[in-house]
Amino acid sequence: MAEIVTVEASPDGSADPRLADYTDLTDFELRRRREPAEGLFIAEGEKVIRRAVAAGYEMRSMLLTAKWTEVMRDVIDGTAAPVYQVAPDLAERVTGYHVHRGALASMRRKPLPPPADLLQKARRAVVFEDMVDHANLGAAFRNAAALGVDAVLLTPRCADPLYRRAVKVSMGAVLQVPWTRLESWPKDAHLLGEAGFVTAALCLDENAITLDELAERRHDRLALLFGTEGDGLTPGALAAADVRVSIPMDAGVDSLNVAATSAVALYMTRPRA
């Protein structure tokens, strides 16, 4: 059982080293460099913290305002990690924003599995190529969790799904869906074929089949490829795909946001019993 430690603001305004994991959470470049290097990520809010714990992530520490102490009592009782209770103004000063949910946890990252291992037992996989917007990536992960995806593969330049905003937008789904990062793309596309997957690239192409046609084929093992915001999939990714797929549009709209596209495509091609 963890001991709750009350941390007061320093008279001289200096940072308390015990709260180091939570400093400057809004500084994207700082957190992007620091979090993977130190093997940590931040879970924000009661539901996300609970999902992180349920998914087997080890807690480094927790930062709570007083009103959340009892709400999180069972989580506190189940961890040996230090729990720091702070006033709301100190939480804002440390993190750089108003922590309206009042609960943060610093969690240890897990080693990423080899892509081939992840694909071995999967029926539905997705590849997110070079997606750099954390909100889009978080939303896409939530879609993947909800719609039967067994494996998510990220290309080397893809954003960090464990960055606080991505975890928050996904409501913790990034902690539930098995995922890993490819070492080289599109070179590693052969792993999908070797695992028995048909790869379908979502794109704008006059020669593409429609999503309805793809769904009707009922592939047993199917991997969907989604490209970066704006530019879509790279020529290398398109060349590596077995089939190109488009979603028919009306009203002069040429395409959907990548997160919305993933929701539609994953629903239409979800595994059927």
Side-chain angles (χ1 to χ4, degrees):
M1 181 186 302
E3 178 185 358
I4 299 174
V5 179
T6 299
V7 178
E8 306 281 353
S10 172
D12 62 3
S14 60
D16 191 308
R18 293 174 293 182
L19 307 183
D21 284 2
Y22 306 96
T23 56
D24 299 319
L25 293 184
T26 58
D27 187 330
F28 166 68
E29 286 301 325
L30 171 66
R31 303 305 301 195
R32 182 180 65 84
R33 294 191 305 269
R34 182 183 167 197
E35 290 185 10
E38 296 184 18
L40 67 92
F41 70 94
I42 300 298
E44 179 180 4
E46 177 194 359
K47 290 182 180 179
V48 174
I49 293 172
R50 291 184 184 279
R51 286 175 180 169
V53 172
Y57 287 91
E58 182 185 352
M59 189 179 294
R60 288 164 57 110
S61 66
M62 193 151 36
L63 181 71
L64 303 174
T65 55
K67 74 174 186 176
W68 285 93
T69 302
E70 287 309 310
V71 175
M72 303 298 292
R73 174 60 63 181
D74 59 316
V75 178
I76 295 170
D77 290 346
T79 182
V83 177
Y84 303 118
Q85 182 173 289
V86 299
D89 60 335
L90 179 56
E92 183 171 355
R93 189 185 313 171
V94 170
T95 63
Y97 71 105
H98 176 57
V99 188
H100 66 281
R101 297 189 182 188
L104 296 168
S106 174
M107 313 296 296
R108 297 188 191 278
R109 293 178 181 239
K110 297 178 183 179
L112 294 178
D117 290 356
L118 206 62
L119 293 170
Q120 188 175 15
K121 296 181 180 180
R123 291 184 61 197
R124 289 293 180 271
V126 298
V127 176
F128 294 132
E129 182 189 55
D130 301 351
M131 285 178 60
V132 296
D133 185 283
H134 289 93
N136 278 337
L137 188 60
F141 258 92
R142 190 174 186 184
N143 296 338
L147 297 170
V149 171
D150 306 298
V152 174
L153 305 181
L154 306 180
T155 63
R157 291 184 292 183
C158 206
D160 179 11
L162 294 183
Y163 180 64
R164 180 177 61 89
R165 180 162 174 75
V167 177
K168 181 179 178 181
V169 170
S170 78
M171 289 299 295
V174 298
L175 310 172
Q176 299 171 297
V177 183
W179 68 276
T180 194
R181 200 175 284 274
L182 297 163
E183 291 185 3
S184 179
W185 179 260
K187 183 179 178 181
D188 286 343
H190 70 91
L191 296 172
L192 294 162
E194 290 172 1
F197 283 86
V198 173
T199 58
L202 275 292
C203 62
L204 300 177
D205 188 316
E206 60 182 13
N207 296 316
I209 66 171
T210 67
L211 181 58
D212 299 272
E213 291 177 82
L214 178 66
E216 287 172 0
R217 295 181 181 183
R218 294 182 176 269
H219 293 293
D220 182 55
R221 305 187 102 183
L222 179 66
L224 300 181
L225 279 55
F226 300 96
T228 187
E229 301 84 354
D231 293 333
L233 290 165
T234 61
L238 292 172
D242 297 312
V243 62
R244 300 184 185 189
V245 183
S246 64
I247 301 175
M249 297 282 142
D250 290 328
V253 177
D254 63 349
S255 64
L256 300 174
N257 166 278
V258 64
T261 297
S262 71
V264 174
L266 292 173
Y267 175 77
M268 289 289 294
T269 60
R270 68 196 186 281
R272 308 295 177 92

